[in-house]
């Protein structure tokens, strides 16, 4: 799907709302705060900007919040609630917004107070793996070059990349085809063209790649209990290179 200039303008606006949700939730992260409070902060941004949530009511059972909040060994899809952030935790926040029918989607993982050197390194490497994937989003590259770049960075650090959950094209729906895995050989799949927009979202574990879904049917944790991080941006391929839509 090739997005027009007009469509990209709307996606840029949706992306900026997502960036603002990131800034607001980041500023609220500290020991003693619950994940439900982070959700409330993000809701206030959506209301202020007149945007709708693409997370609230998504899927079965319907997701009950506007952010996913996933602490420590939780990889993605954590339901915000009465979990109290503690000094030394890491917390992943994933959220999105819809403006005039166009979607943005992005995630980050942040430290809560002082964290271990191991946790800090996981965050640095996972974010670097996202930027390695973004860097190859240029006309003429192929879709699988993105995941290959992500995997190369994550595995060089001794970490593993989650296989069951992947990135995706994004536009008039949050999750559009094709999927964008965070692994695989380079040089496969369709050629990237200006107007393609993908949400690239590495999920990286310190331990093994295995995952387990919690009894709430949403939260996904590492099978071995190891720490996991998640970073995501929505990015357009342009004639001038990748344009990250979900930056402030
Ligand atoms: Mg997301
Ligand atoms: Mg996504």
């Amino acid at each position: 799907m090739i997005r027009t200039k007009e469509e990209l303008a709307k996606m840029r606006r949706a992306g900026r709302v997502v960036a603002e949700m990131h800034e607001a939730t980041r500023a609220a992260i500290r020991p003693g705060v619950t994940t439900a409070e982070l959700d409330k902060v993000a809701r206030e941004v959506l209301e202020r900007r007149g945007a709708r949530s693409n997370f609230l009511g998504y899927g079965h059972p319907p997701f009950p919040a506007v952010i996913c909040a996933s602490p420590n060994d939780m990889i993605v899809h954590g339901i915000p609630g009465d979990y109290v952030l503690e000094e030394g935790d890491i917390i992943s926040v994933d959220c999105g917004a819809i403006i005039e029918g166009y979607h943005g989607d992005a995630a980050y993982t942040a430290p809560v107070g002082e964290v271990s050197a191991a946790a800090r390194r996981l965050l640095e490497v996972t974010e670097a793996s996202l930027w390695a994937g973004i860097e190859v989003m240029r006309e003429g590259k192929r879709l699988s070059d993105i995941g290959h770049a992500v995997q190369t960075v994550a595995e060089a650090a001794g970490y593993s990349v989650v296989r069951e959950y992947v990135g995706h094209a994004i536009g008039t729906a949050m999750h559009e085809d094709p999927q964008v895995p965070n692994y695989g050989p380079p040089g496969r799949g369709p050629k990237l063209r200006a107007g393609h927009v993908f949400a690239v979202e590495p999920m990286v574990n310190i331990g093994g790649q295995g995952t387990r879904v919690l009894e709430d049917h949403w939260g996904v944790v590492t099978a071995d209990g190891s720490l996991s991080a998640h970073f995501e941006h929505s990015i357009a391929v342009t004639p001038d290179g990748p344009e990250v839509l979900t930056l402030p």
Side-chain angles (χ1 to χ4, degrees):
M1 183 76 76
I2 302 295
R3 300 294 168 189
T4 64
K5 272 195 172 67
E6 292 71 26
E7 290 181 296
L8 286 177
K10 289 174 185 171
M11 295 192 73
R12 217 170 269 131
R13 287 174 54 208
R16 277 201 295 267
V17 175
V18 178
E20 200 175 327
M21 294 165 84
H22 280 199
E23 287 179 324
T25 51
R26 260 185 199 278
I29 288 172
R30 66 179 70 84
V33 167
T34 66
T35 50
E37 289 172 293
L38 298 182
D39 185 66
K40 184 164 175 285
V41 164
R43 273 177 207 254
E44 286 163 0
V45 174
L46 285 167
E47 278 166 27
R48 195 159 64 233
R49 294 297 172 210
R52 288 199 301 122
S53 172
N54 37 17
F55 280 46
L56 186 66
Y58 185 92
H60 304 285
F63 194 78
V66 305
I67 70 168
C68 294
S70 309
N72 300 324
D73 66 334
M74 197 177 289
I75 302 166
V76 284
H77 302 169
I79 297 176
D82 53 14
Y83 181 84
V84 180
L85 297 181
E86 279 183 37
E87 179 91 17
D89 280 353
I90 58 171
I91 177 74
S92 299
V93 173
D94 189 358
C95 58
I98 311 171
I99 290 276
E100 289 185 48
Y102 287 84
H103 290 243
D105 179 17
Y108 67 88
T109 306
V112 181
E114 276 299 308
V115 302
S116 68
R120 231 173 16 247
R121 179 169 176 266
L122 174 68
L123 303 193
E124 285 166 10
V125 168
T126 307
E127 188 167 19
S129 77
L130 168 58
W131 284 100
I134 291 170
E135 179 52 37
V136 301
M137 287 185 62
R138 293 168 187 279
E139 287 181 294
K141 292 283 189 178
R142 290 190 183 271
L143 186 65
S144 82
D145 292 333
I146 300 170
H148 182 73
V150 169
Q151 180 179 22
T152 300
V153 171
E155 291 186 352
Y159 300 146
S160 62
V161 167
V162 169
R163 302 297 201 270
E164 283 91 351
Y165 305 89
V166 295
H168 47 93
I170 181 167
T172 53
M174 179 161 58
H175 295 135
E176 297 184 346
D177 287 333
Q179 295 190 334
V180 183
N182 297 300
Y183 57 91
R188 309 276 173 88
K191 273 195 179 166
L192 303 186
R193 293 173 56 194
H196 280 148
V197 186
F198 300 122
V200 179
E201 50 179 313
M203 288 147 264
V204 175
N205 304 342
I206 285 186
Q209 67 184 52
T211 68
R212 183 169 63 81
V213 179
L214 299 182
E215 281 168 10
D216 66 15
H217 299 291
W218 276 109
V220 180
V221 296
T222 57
D224 59 11
S226 67
L227 286 181
S228 184
H230 180 209
F231 283 85
E232 175 181 29
H233 276 302
S234 299
I235 308 112
V237 178
T238 82
D240 305 319
E243 178 187 351
V244 182
L245 303 173
T246 42
L247 281 175

